[in-house]
Amino acid sequence: MNIVIMGPQGSGKSTQAELLAKKLNTVHISTGDIYRSIANQNSDLGRKIKEYIEKGELIDDETTFTVVDKHLAEIKSGFVVEGFPRTIGQAEREIVPVDKVIYLRLDDNEATKRLLSRGRTDDTPELIAQRLKLYYLDTVPVLNYYRQQGKLLEIDGSKTIPEVHNLILQSLGI
Ligand code: AMP
């Protein structure tokens, strides 16, 4: 089964993707993690990606397709992906079939509070606000795209980690 986990920054996507992948015995892919590791490389691509991340901007779709294709191409037995697709262009390209999309709902105040306590270098109040703005602009249309396809499963992301995990399993019928 190919599963996408979506939700605003701080909604627990990464934690929940990891737990779910473990439960399903499949691969967990995070485009944010992939990009952070590329940003640490001393290369033209690394420097370019670092600049985008530091500005709180999305990396362009063409670069994202190259990076994601490379990772997804190796996977044969399903995955849980998080951080992708992030734009309607990325969703419509349908690199691989998506079976279900988990949407972790969380309001902006709670999201900001959680991110500030996480302490990642790109978690300054300015960058958090910038990424939330892009989330509404670029990523909410992706939620609607999957909702129209009947693939979206909405989960209350404000609950505790085990509670959200159980709600996800329930909604997938596991
Ligand atoms: P995340 O950990 O998902 O918040 O991602 C961290 C940063 O990586 C984002 O702010 C973007 O700059 C970049 N990024 C991650 N996934 C994508 C994607 N699918 N498309 C474009 N940029 C991305």
Side-chain angles (χ1 to χ4, degrees), residues 22-162:
K22 211 174 267 170
K23 175 84 186 172
L24 297 173
N25 208 9
T26 57
V27 187
H28 165 211
I29 301 164
S30 154
T31 48
D33 283 351
I34 294 170
Y35 277 139
R36 272 185 292 280
S37 87
I38 299 177
N40 282 329
Q41 290 165 10
N42 185 17
S43 64
D44 284 346
L45 181 63
R47 280 182 285 276
K48 178 176 135 182
I49 304 277
K50 189 160 186 257
E51 218 172 281
Y52 276 100
I53 293 179
E54 283 175 352
K55 281 195 253 167
E57 284 175 8
L58 293 183
I59 285 105
D60 61 279
D61 280 356
E62 278 315 307
T63 305
T64 299
F65 291 145
T66 318
V67 167
V68 172
D69 278 0
K70 214 174 78 190
H71 280 81
L72 294 186
E74 293 161 11
I75 297 167
K76 305 271 180 287
S77 60
F79 55 79
V80 180
V81 68
E82 156 245 324
F84 178 89
R86 199 83 151 229
T87 64
I88 201 78
Q90 291 179 10
E92 281 176 344
R93 186 150 172 269
E94 309 219 5
I95 299 175
V96 283
V98 168
D99 298 309
K100 289 289 174 200
V101 178
I102 312 278
Y103 167 35
L104 303 178
R105 268 186 287 112
L106 193 71
D107 70 45
D108 285 3
N109 287 341
E110 183 61 23
T112 305
K113 212 167 76 191
R114 287 187 182 184
L115 290 169
L116 286 174
S117 69
R118 182 168 76 172
R120 217 167 69 186
T121 52
D122 60 345
D123 285 339
T124 61
E126 294 74 23
L127 286 178
I128 291 170
Q130 160 73 7
R131 293 199 308 264
L132 278 173
K133 198 177 93 190
L134 287 186
Y135 172 74
Y136 288 111
L137 205 68
D138 291 323
T139 309
V140 168
V142 180
L143 291 175
N144 293 332
Y145 174 83
Y146 286 125
R147 190 178 280 120
Q148 275 162 16
Q149 295 184 357
K151 293 178 176 171
L152 200 71
L153 303 170
E154 292 202 31
I155 307 282
D156 179 357
S158 72
K159 303 224 180 293
T160 65
I161 292 172

